[in-house]
Amino acid sequence: RESSRVQVIFLPTKQELNPIDYARISFTFKNDGNAQIMSIADAVANCWGVGAEVMITSQSNNPADVIVATIQSVASNGAITFKQLNNLRKLPEFTTTSDADSHKPGFVVSEFALLSRNAQLYSANENGIGGHMIFLNTPGVPQILEGLSFVNLGQQGKMGRYPINFHLCSFIPGTLVSKNVILNSNQRCIVIHGTHSLLISSNVAFNNFGHCFVLEDGTEIRNTFRSNLGALTKRISKPMQSESDNQPATFFIA
């Protein structure tokens, strides 16, 4: 990853006979302005289109190092080309799980997620107040919420006003919340309160305020969270009364 400051560490082996002349070592860093290319499985490439946005989680200990890139082209062999964000910032050299115990201290494996959806629920946002969705007291009625994008929803500081909120629905087996994206939420992401037997799977949450995937009071049972991803979960400066969203967790279980 490019930076204004780079630290280079030399680790000579015990068999090294000649000392290193550090004064004669120099580096030249170049930025050629080319788009970046990533190869992915055909099954995924068929779902990713030109102009869509992709989120790449941080590889460092700083969550703000997350990258959002726009797809420029998709080749038939699964090679995706990204538009460059600017002339100073390229996509990083991606770390893989094979690097976990090797030579990249302080780095973690990146996750990739598609942020764009064909259907979007978008809310105007004024001083942290947007729209919200609530499923209220629907026992025995399964709900299906799949493949949508929720942008700017939630109402900061107001109890129960979240992008997706299941409130006192009791048992609703067959309910599925899957493959959705929650972006720029003013308060939380998916909240389950007094509701049981849900499947919450393959959702992506990015750049949201407060706790994200939430079991609210600890009495909820038989709910399954599977393969969900959250990144850049941020503090709320003025949380709801008696709540801890000023110290947010991406996955919060009361």
Side-chain angles (χ1 to χ4, degrees):
R1 184 167 45 212
E2 295 190 351
S3 173
S4 59
R5 180 178 180 270
V6 177
Q7 182 181 21
V8 180
I9 300 175
F10 293 92
L11 298 174
T13 65
K14 293 181 179 179
Q15 290 76 29
E16 183 67 56
L17 299 178
N18 299 316
I20 298 173
D21 186 356
Y22 294 100
R24 299 183 62 184
I25 298 175
S26 64
F27 298 90
T28 301
F29 296 94
K30 296 181 178 180
N31 191 323
D32 57 15
N34 292 334
Q36 304 297 292
I37 298 177
M38 177 184 71
S39 295
I40 60 176
D42 292 344
V44 177
N46 291 335
C47 300
W48 293 18
V50 173
E53 287 189 329
V54 176
M55 183 263 290
I56 305 162
T57 59
S58 171
Q59 288 197 102
S60 74
N61 294 326
N62 183 2
D65 285 341
V66 65
I67 291 174
V68 176
T70 302
I71 295 176
Q72 180 170 291
S73 64
V74 182
S76 58
N77 63 356
I80 288 182
T81 303
F82 295 107
K83 293 180 181 178
Q84 206 167 336
L85 298 180
N86 55 54
N87 289 331
L88 298 177
R89 190 178 187 191
K90 289 184 177 181
L91 303 184
E93 176 188 354
F94 300 116
T95 309
T96 65
T97 52
S98 63
D99 298 313
D101 299 317
S102 59
H103 307 293
K104 293 192 176 182
F107 281 74
V108 295
V109 179
S110 284
E111 298 278 356
F112 291 74
L114 186 68
L115 296 181
S116 299
R117 296 291 187 272
N118 291 331
Q120 182 182 93
L121 277 69
Y122 178 91
S123 174
N125 185 354
E126 184 175 351
N127 298 322
I129 303 299
H132 69 99
M133 174 181 289
I134 182 169
F135 296 91
L136 176 61
N137 192 21
T138 58
V141 182
Q143 311 288 341
I144 306 294
L145 199 60
E146 189 171 20
L148 300 174
S149 175
F150 298 82
V151 183
N152 294 341
L153 273 70
Q155 298 180 3
Q156 198 163 122
K158 294 189 176 184
M159 187 68 71
R161 301 298 186 256
Y162 319 122
I164 302 173
N165 182 16
F166 287 87
H167 185 69
L168 303 179
C169 296
S170 190
F171 287 89
I172 45 174
T175 293
L176 175 67
V177 181
S178 181
K179 302 177 182 177
N180 303 291
V181 175
I182 299 101
L183 298 174
N184 310 329
S185 168
N186 299 302
Q187 183 168 260
R188 301 187 174 181
C189 303
I190 300 174
V191 178
I192 301 172
H193 179 211
T195 303
H196 321 290
S197 302
L198 280 72
L199 174 58
I200 312 296
S201 71
S202 303
N203 299 284
V204 176
F206 174 61
N207 195 38
N208 302 303
F209 283 100
H211 302 311
C212 195
F213 299 96
V214 178
L215 292 175
E216 189 164 328
D217 61 15
T219 64
E220 297 82 13
I221 61 174
R222 300 180 186 174
N223 295 300
T224 301
F225 290 83
R226 179 184 299 154
S227 301
N228 299 286
L229 175 65
L232 206 60
T233 302
K234 301 183 295 187
R235 300 170 181 243
I236 289 180
S237 58
K238 295 182 179 180
M240 296 170 286
Q241 186 175 2
S242 301
E243 297 295 327
S244 57
D245 294 82
N246 58 331
Q247 296 179 312
T250 300
F251 293 88
F252 179 85
I253 300 176

